[in-house]
């Protein structure tokens, strides 16, 4: 039997798309974990809220009759802003008061926040699946590849790359970015050089939420529907990706997302779509057994 | 310059400082000596604003600073090198120094001070782009001091700079502390278990036992004090 390259590449492309989205969400998990040592289970919900805000804003703007590009820009900005606000508020309400509590307390609080936000959107919006506008047009120059991947795949890859580059720049070179790394590595010392740790933690939540919102918009436009429950599954998968890559490690989150996306895509393509989640979580179990710190994570080594 | 009056502080149910009073004058080197668990580090953490003072007042440059945030105390010119150095392990030497200048906006001044640090500790210039966690203990101590100097301190709080270092390196560190004090006019508050070395470079000293100051005086007098000789100098 000949190897079907075309099919392989198609699976690769769809894996890349899934992986990009997982990576965008996983970054939020890993950044927050790195800085406060907390798994923010409400993060998936922020992603869902980001998609909803875009949906609402774009519907509103369409009624106003704005051109497509203006609508996309404004709705995206609104979504990022809104999601950032939610991330900030969630931290202030559910995590900050518990910062010196035993580790289990903020975890429970995070799960509570997640359930609350899901139900809040369900009651405030709808429990039905809603059709999401196809905001990404078909590009003519991608016509030759139409059988392999769509314009929306392409936009997702490009956006992810750009967002990653911006994030890398922020973390590596800006004052806030350096302070974020310093706070993650040694919070007391960060305070001793005069860093306002609360502000840095808020910034981390806001940036993570903004990334999740971008992911939410992209994938909803790709699949063409939204629902209050999408954040839960995506959140668990992205969390898996973050652990896979090494929780706390930023390149790890990206790698973990891509590996997970590829694994799911190939498992679906060569076995059965029923096995998608089985593969994703088997991968998690294997990684936790054989490389507990994740692909790029490292066990704590410190000289005293 | 710095004055503590009946300061009480602790963690949860544990009271670590039971009302201590002490004074640091501008330009001096003051040392606080005492055994493990006497409350030396808590004293510094309370001054910096990391640990809350439950009672008493701390005055720095005529302003009350008890329970002010570390951000405020650093801005006012208080800088601490904590016990165990606390280098940011995955930041480079350069970035560690950048963090010392976190609150400053004067790019030129920062550049100049950075150069000063490299003059003071030439080894750091060679290790500039190396991760802080890969330095040796002595180099880390130098980096910790340099990082604290990057805040432009008026008062430098040093917590056990000699801990875990070889005698030769300790001597080097103490020489530099003296130099920082004499030539740069930075007042130094030195906490040490290594009482002998600390008292030799200090002007005045305080002895802390179980959260209370039991003895205070000129460093030279303390060195001759028979109780201190027995308890801390092992002579």
């Amino acid at each position: 039997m000949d190897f079907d390259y075309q099919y392989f590449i198609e699976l690769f492309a769809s894996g890349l798309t899934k992986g990009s989205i997982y990576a965008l969400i996983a970054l939020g998990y890993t950044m927050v974990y790195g800085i406060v040592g907390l798994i923010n289970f409400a993060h998936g919900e922020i992603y869902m809220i980001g998609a909803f805000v875009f949906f609402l804003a774009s519907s509103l703007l369409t009624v106003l009759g704005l051109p497509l590009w203006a609508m996309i820009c404004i709705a995206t900005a609104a979504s990022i802003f809104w999601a950032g606000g939610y991330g900030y508020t969630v931290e202030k309400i559910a995590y900050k008061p518990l910062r010196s509590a035993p580790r289990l307390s903020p975890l429970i609080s995070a799960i509570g926040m997640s359930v609350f936000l899901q139900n809040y959107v369900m009651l405030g919006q709808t429990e039905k699946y809603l059709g999401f506008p196809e905001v990404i047009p078909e590009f003519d120059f991608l016509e030759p590849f139409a059988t392999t991947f769509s314009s929306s795949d392409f936009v997702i890859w490009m956006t992810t790359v750009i967002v990653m580059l911006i994030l890398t720049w922020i973390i590596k070179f800006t004052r806030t970015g350096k302070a974020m790394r310093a706070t993650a590595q040694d919070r007391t010392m960060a305070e001793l050089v005069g860093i306002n740790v609360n502000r840095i933690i808020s910034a981390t939540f806001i940036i993570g939420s903004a990334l999740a919102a971008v992911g939410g918009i992209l994938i909803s436009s790709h699949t063409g529907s939204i629902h209050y429950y999408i954040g839960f599954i995506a959140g668990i998968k992205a969390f898996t990706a973050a652990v896979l890559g090494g929780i706390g490690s930023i390149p790890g989150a990206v790698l973990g997302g891509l590996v997970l996306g590829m694994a799911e895509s190939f498992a679906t393509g060569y076995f059965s779509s029923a096995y998608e989640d089985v593969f994703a979580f088997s991968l998690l179990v294997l990684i936790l057994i054989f490389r507990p710190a994740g692909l790029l994570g490292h066990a704590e080594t410190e000289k005293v | 310059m710095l004055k503590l009056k009946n300061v009480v502080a602790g963690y949860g149910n544990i009271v670590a400082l039971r009302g201590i009073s002490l004074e640091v004058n501008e330009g001096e080197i003051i040392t606080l000596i005492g055994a493990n668990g006497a409350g030396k580090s808590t004293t510094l953490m309370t001054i910096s604003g990391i640990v809350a003072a439950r009672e008493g007042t701390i005055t720095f440059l005529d302003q009350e600073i008890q329970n002010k945030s570390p951000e405020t105390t650093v801005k006012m010119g208080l800088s601490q090198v904590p016990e165990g150095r606390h280098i940011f392990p995955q930041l480079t030497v350069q970035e560690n120094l950048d963090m010392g200048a976190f609150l400053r906006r004067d790019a030129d001044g920062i550049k100049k001070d950075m150069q000063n640090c490299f003059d003071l500790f030439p080894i750091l210039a060679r290790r500039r782009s190396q991760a802080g966690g890969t330095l040796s203990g002595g180099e880390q101590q130098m980096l910790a001091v340099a990082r604290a100097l990057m805040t432009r301190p008026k008062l430098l709080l040093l917590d056990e700079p000699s801990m875990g270092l070889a005698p030769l390196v300790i001597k080097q560190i103490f020489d530099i502390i003296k130099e920082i004090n004499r030539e740069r006019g930075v007042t130094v508050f030195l906490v040490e278990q290594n009482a002998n070395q600390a008292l030799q470079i200090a002007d005045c000293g305080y002895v802390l036992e179980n959260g209370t100051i039991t003895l205070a005086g000129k460093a030279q007098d303390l060195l001759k004090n028979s109780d201190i000789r027995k308890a801390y100098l092992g002579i």
Side-chain angles (χ1 to χ4, degrees):
Chain A
M1 193 179 79
D2 276 336
F3 187 71
D4 186 347
Y5 283 104
Q6 175 64 26
Y7 187 53
F8 180 85
I9 292 169
E10 270 171 46
L11 292 176
F12 185 87
S14 94
L16 204 56
T17 300
K18 264 190 179 173
S20 301
I21 301 296
Y22 290 152
L24 281 174
I25 313 173
L27 280 167
Y29 277 109
T30 224
M31 284 167 66
V32 163
Y33 183 85
I35 216 154
V36 281
L38 160 82
I39 303 295
N40 177 14
F41 275 113
H43 189 60
E45 269 43 75
I46 302 283
Y47 150 94
M48 175 267 295
I49 286 173
F52 263 92
V53 171
F54 184 91
F55 174 79
L56 295 173
S58 61
S59 314
L60 190 71
L61 293 165
T62 313
V63 174
L64 293 176
L66 264 82
L68 185 70
W69 64 268
M71 178 200 89
I72 292 176
C73 289
I74 298 173
T76 304
S79 161
I80 287 175
F81 187 76
W82 218 267
Y86 268 96
Y88 174 85
T89 314
V90 164
E91 194 268 332
K92 285 278 180 269
I93 293 176
Y95 307 143
K96 192 172 172 231
L98 295 170
R99 212 173 279 161
S100 49
R103 281 173 85 100
L104 199 56
S105 312
L107 193 69
I108 303 287
S109 175
I111 293 170
M113 207 58 190
S114 161
V115 174
F116 168 78
L117 287 175
Q118 267 176 41
N119 288 278
Y120 160 82
V121 172
M122 181 188 79
L123 294 171
Q125 300 300 325
T126 175
E127 54 192 299
K128 296 197 191 71
Y129 278 90
L130 293 174
F132 199 83
E134 261 191 54
V135 289
I136 302 167
E138 290 297 325
F139 296 120
D140 291 339
F141 70 93
L142 289 175
E143 190 64 44
F145 308 103
T147 51
T148 317
F149 61 87
S150 67
S151 292
S152 102
D153 286 310
F154 181 75
V155 170
I156 288 176
W157 305 338
M158 288 302 126
T159 314
T160 306
V161 169
I162 292 167
V163 166
M164 301 286 171
L165 288 177
I166 296 174
L167 181 71
T168 309
W169 174 77
I170 291 177
I171 288 180
K172 270 217 115 75
F173 300 112
T174 67
R175 185 166 172 270
T176 307
K178 280 188 214 168
M180 280 165 71
R181 283 187 288 150
T183 307
Q185 290 170 29
D186 193 330
R187 195 192 297 171
T188 306
M189 192 59 230
E191 286 189 80
L192 283 177
V193 293
I195 293 171
N196 185 331
V197 170
N198 285 329
R199 211 177 294 154
I200 294 298
I201 291 173
S202 293
T204 309
F205 272 85
I206 292 172
I207 294 174
S209 302
L211 296 176
V214 172
I217 298 168
L218 290 172
I219 198 68
S220 302
S221 155
H222 190 67
T223 58
S225 75
I226 48 169
H227 186 238
Y228 74 89
Y229 201 61
I230 56 168
F232 182 73
I233 294 293
I236 295 274
K237 290 281 179 66
F239 168 61
T240 305
V243 173
L244 203 63
I247 189 123
S249 155
I250 287 177
V254 178
L255 181 69
L258 291 176
V259 167
L260 189 69
M262 292 292 174
E264 280 189 13
S265 178
F266 285 116
T268 310
Y270 287 121
F271 295 94
S272 150
S273 60
Y275 282 90
E276 183 181 10
D277 294 352
V278 176
F279 267 84
F281 295 118
S282 308
L283 202 60
L284 176 68
V285 171
L286 289 177
I287 284 285
L288 286 178
I289 292 173
F290 294 108
R291 241 190 107 77
L295 295 172
L296 298 186
H298 38 76
E300 288 289 300
T301 47
E302 213 176 297
K303 247 183 171 171
V304 189
Chain B
M1 172 175 226
L2 177 78
K3 206 169 181 176
L4 276 68
K5 220 169 153 192
N6 299 320
V7 173
V8 176
Y11 311 87
N13 292 327
I14 302 157
V15 181
L17 301 180
R18 304 164 194 278
I20 67 163
S21 302
L22 57 82
E23 205 175 335
V24 179
N25 295 321
E26 193 160 355
E28 286 184 340
I29 298 182
I30 294 289
T31 183
L32 180 66
I33 56 179
N36 265 339
K40 303 186 301 288
S41 297
T42 309
T43 307
L44 293 194
M45 286 301 180
T46 311
I47 297 171
S48 283
I50 302 269
V51 174
R54 293 181 189 167
E55 280 172 47
T57 55
I58 304 173
T59 329
F60 179 59
L61 299 173
D62 303 322
Q63 275 190 60
E64 290 202 358
I65 58 159
Q66 68 272 15
N67 306 329
K68 284 257 164 46
S69 71
E71 193 187 359
T72 314
T73 59
V74 173
K75 245 180 224 163
M76 290 176 69
L78 249 166
S79 188
Q80 186 185 158
V81 180
E83 183 182 350
R85 351 214 196 274
H86 286 259
I87 295 303
F88 299 116
Q90 282 141 51
L91 298 191
T92 63
V93 167
Q94 168 88 48
E95 285 170 333
N96 265 283
L97 293 175
D98 287 343
M99 282 298 105
F102 181 77
L103 290 174
R104 293 171 56 186
R105 299 287 191 173
D106 54 326
D108 292 342
I110 293 174
K111 223 174 174 181
K112 230 179 84 199
D113 285 355
M114 187 91 68
Q115 196 50 53
N116 280 336
C117 283
F118 288 143
D119 291 343
L120 198 59
F121 305 104
I123 185 80
L124 294 182
R126 286 200 292 278
R127 300 255 188 271
R128 219 177 164 134
S129 44
Q130 211 172 307
T134 62
L135 302 187
S136 75
E139 290 163 353
Q140 288 196 2
Q141 188 62 59
M142 292 177 198
L143 178 56
V145 172
R147 180 180 56 192
L149 288 177
M150 288 304 293
T151 66
R152 277 250 166 118
K154 298 187 177 89
L155 174 60
L156 188 61
L157 309 173
L158 291 166
D159 197 348
E160 306 239 7
S162 73
M163 196 177 79
L165 300 181
L168 211 65
V169 183
I170 296 181
K171 192 181 169 301
Q172 210 181 341
I173 297 277
F174 274 82
D175 285 346
I176 282 164
I177 295 171
K178 257 194 300 195
E179 189 182 329
I180 291 168
N181 176 253
R182 305 276 140 84
E183 279 161 40
R184 295 170 191 233
V186 178
T187 312
V188 174
F189 187 168
L190 174 66
V191 160
E192 261 299 343
Q193 268 193 74
N194 192 336
N196 186 28
Q197 219 125 16
L199 286 170
Q200 272 174 19
I201 66 164
D203 298 294
C204 295
Y206 291 86
V207 180
L208 190 63
E209 272 171 32
N210 286 326
T212 36
I213 302 272
T214 51
L215 210 57
K218 289 251 174 277
Q220 290 311 315
D221 299 341
L222 290 178
L223 269 173
K224 287 177 211 138
N225 184 305
S226 59
D227 289 344
I228 292 203
R229 289 171 75 93
K230 245 186 259 148
Y232 298 104
L233 305 178
I235 309 170

